[in-house]
């Protein structure tokens, strides 16, 4: 299976003429999709066996992405369309997300998101649909965090990334955990994108920065748990301490840990996330977004990119957003 445009795209990534911002933007967006698509086969598995992982890695079949990537692309297009004003228009975004679900409902959406999208498309205001979900609690799922990474490409700083993330999250995730998961993942993506891959990542400083930006004590405690698991914890041990389900409170810290274990090796980040089991597509997607935002696209195995559906289009969308990155990025 050969996809010539993509081959050109990945070959160009190795070209020294390509700017770092382009490489990083492609890394971030294609990292989301590759992690998601590799993890999709294992979603819901308690753990993932090494042999199954190798089989999946070496297969030649098409890598299909799921709702994680589908909705990330919606948010990326939403941001790209607002070329002069870096903002999130909640009313428009809610409708765009719902239309994407309606266009391809088979991509594996969460029950809460399906209900909210259905209600939005039949005339319920997004705020009401979002707040009514799960008996009025709102969703604490990771659906807002899994789609948030492109915000890092347009934000002017960590606080801006957090504010845009909050606005992008509330349209579907009214519960504070759903919202805070998205805010933490957006801030982590911004910091990873703006880190220098030529210098070893200061992981303690990275966690310190995140801890200063999160408002809630329970999320700061989660970051401390991530700190204690650095280096020594196997994926199974990490999953047992943090949890690996579709809740933002479990999966966002686990994805962060997978990134921090291998901040310069996207393939290892993804393997770690997959071996932790549970919500594998989402955890691998969020983790890979962070690593490849730091390293750039050239660090992602080309064999995986060549199997990924719509890789060329995703790369082109990343290029559009890269033009929005500030010169320091
Ligand atoms: N939904 C899935 N995968 C399962 C089915 C896939 C299957 N292969 C298929 O094809 O059908 N994956 C996707 O959903 C997760 C993102 O979820 P999102 O968008 O946040 O949705 P939801 O439903 O709001 O939350 C997810 C689950 O969390 C629990 N939950 C959330 N809030 C709750 C609350 N207030 N009370 C109780 N439970 C709550 C529920 O179990 C939700 O269903 C990603 O994994 C994505 O890949
Ligand atoms: Mg999914
Ligand atoms: Mg998932």
């Amino acid at each position: 299976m050969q996809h010539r445009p993509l081959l050109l795209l990945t070959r160009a990534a190795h070209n020294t003429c390509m700017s770092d911002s382009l490489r990083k933007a492609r890394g971030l967006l294609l990292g989301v999709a590759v992690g998601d698509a590799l993890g999709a086969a294992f979603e819901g598995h308690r753990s993932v066996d090494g042999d199954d992982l190798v089989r999946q890695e070496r297969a030649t079949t098409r890598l299909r992405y799921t709702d994680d990537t589908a909705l990330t692309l919606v948010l990326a297009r939403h941001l790209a369309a607002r070329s002069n004003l870096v903002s999130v228009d909640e009313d428009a975004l809610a409708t765009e997300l719902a239309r994407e679900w309606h266009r391809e409902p088979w991509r594996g959406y969460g029950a809460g998101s399906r209900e909210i999208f259905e209600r939005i498309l039949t005339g319920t205001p997004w705020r009401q649909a979002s707040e009514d979900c799960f008996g009025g609690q709102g969703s604490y799922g990771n659906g807002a965090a899994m789609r948030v990474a492109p915000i890092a490409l347009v934000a002017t700083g960590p606080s801006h990334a957090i504010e845009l993330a909050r606005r992008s999250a509330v349209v579907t995730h009214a519960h504070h955990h759903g919202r805070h998961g998205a805010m933490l993942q957006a801030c982590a993506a911004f910091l990873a994108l703006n880190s220098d891959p030529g210098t070893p990542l200061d992981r303690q400083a990275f966690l310190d920065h995140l801890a200063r930006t999160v408002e809630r004590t329970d999320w700061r405690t989660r970051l401390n748990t991530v700190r204690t698991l650095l280096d020594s914890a196997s994926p199974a041990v990490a999953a047992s301490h943090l949890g690996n389900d579709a809740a933002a409170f479990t999966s966002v810290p686990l994805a962060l840990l997978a990134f921090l274990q291998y901040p310069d090796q996207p393939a290892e980040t993804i393997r770690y996330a997959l071996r932790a089991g549970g919500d594998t597509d989402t955890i691998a997607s969020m983790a890979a977004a962070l690593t490849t935002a730091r390293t750039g696209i050239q660090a992602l195995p080309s064999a995986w990119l060549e199997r990924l559906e719509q890789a060329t289009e995703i790369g082109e969308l990343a290029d559009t957003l890269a033009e929005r990155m500030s010169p320091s990025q």
Side-chain angles (χ1 to χ4, degrees):
M1 172 192 328
Q2 293 295 307
H3 307 286
R4 288 190 62 79
L6 174 61
L7 283 177
L8 291 175
L9 189 126
T10 52
R11 213 171 276 144
H14 292 273
N15 185 325
T16 49
C17 293
M18 181 184 281
S19 72
D20 284 348
S21 58
L22 216 58
R23 271 195 279 260
K24 281 172 161 266
R26 287 185 188 181
L28 179 142
L29 215 51
L30 285 158
V32 166
V34 166
D36 173 21
L38 280 169
F42 307 114
E43 193 184 29
H45 292 205
R46 274 179 81 151
S47 62
V48 177
D49 178 64
D51 291 342
D52 289 342
L53 199 52
V54 169
R55 261 192 295 280
Q56 165 69 323
E57 283 188 25
R58 294 189 182 160
T60 54
T61 48
R62 198 80 156 143
L63 279 175
R64 293 227 168 270
Y65 61 73
T66 76
D67 58 332
D68 305 54
T69 304
L71 297 188
T72 299
L73 297 178
V74 171
L75 181 55
R77 287 190 204 101
H78 182 90
L79 297 168
R82 281 153 186 79
S83 54
N84 295 321
L85 188 69
V86 179
S87 77
V88 168
D89 176 339
E90 291 94 331
D91 295 338
L93 180 63
T95 305
E96 289 158 15
L97 294 169
R99 284 191 181 141
E100 176 59 29
W101 161 73
H102 191 257
R103 194 176 72 85
E104 294 184 333
W106 44 266
R107 294 246 184 222
Y109 284 81
S113 285
R114 289 199 304 267
E115 179 191 306
I116 290 168
F117 293 148
E118 174 108 58
R119 292 191 69 198
I120 289 171
L121 291 182
T122 51
T124 306
W126 60 262
R127 194 180 297 280
Q128 190 184 335
S130 179
E131 288 177 358
D132 286 352
C133 200
F134 292 105
Q137 283 191 346
S139 172
Y140 57 59
N142 53 21
M146 75 187 184
R147 67 180 183 237
V148 83
I151 279 176
L153 298 171
V154 299
T156 54
S159 312
H160 190 214
I162 289 170
E163 173 56 14
L164 292 176
R166 189 191 61 73
R167 292 178 59 181
S168 75
V170 289
V171 300
T172 48
H173 288 71
H175 193 286
H176 59 79
H177 280 329
R179 208 169 59 240
H180 279 84
M183 290 153 70
L184 187 72
Q185 173 69 6
C187 187
F190 184 89
L191 295 177
L193 186 75
N194 288 285
S195 66
D196 174 9
T199 309
L201 184 73
D202 183 338
R203 298 179 304 172
Q204 298 297 343
F206 196 96
L207 284 168
D208 287 345
H209 200 134
L210 290 177
R212 281 196 301 276
T213 60
V214 292
E215 294 158 10
R216 292 181 58 94
T217 311
D218 47 5
W219 279 88
R220 273 197 291 279
T221 304
R222 296 254 89 189
L223 293 174
N224 280 336
T225 305
V226 169
R227 217 183 278 275
T228 65
L229 295 168
L230 283 176
D231 292 327
S232 57
S234 68
V237 168
S240 72
H241 279 79
L242 292 168
N244 61 5
D245 61 16
F249 197 58
T250 60
S251 52
V252 174
L254 183 54
L256 175 64
L257 176 64
F259 158 64
L260 292 173
Q261 301 288 45
Y262 298 102
D264 298 303
Q265 297 164 267
E268 292 302 326
T269 300
I270 291 173
R271 289 182 189 120
Y272 188 93
L274 296 182
R275 294 204 64 166
D279 192 1
T280 46
D281 63 333
T282 305
I283 296 163
S285 176
M286 293 191 291
L290 301 181
T291 308
T292 48
R294 172 173 158 78
T295 62
I297 186 65
Q298 72 288 349
L300 205 52
S302 56
W304 294 350
L305 281 169
E306 284 160 20
R307 288 170 59 198
L308 178 68
E309 67 168 313
Q310 291 188 37
T312 303
E313 293 80 359
I314 297 171
E316 286 166 357
L317 181 55
D319 292 352
T320 305
L321 283 169
E323 288 167 17
R324 306 281 305 282
M325 287 165 67
S326 65
S328 64
Q329 288 178 32

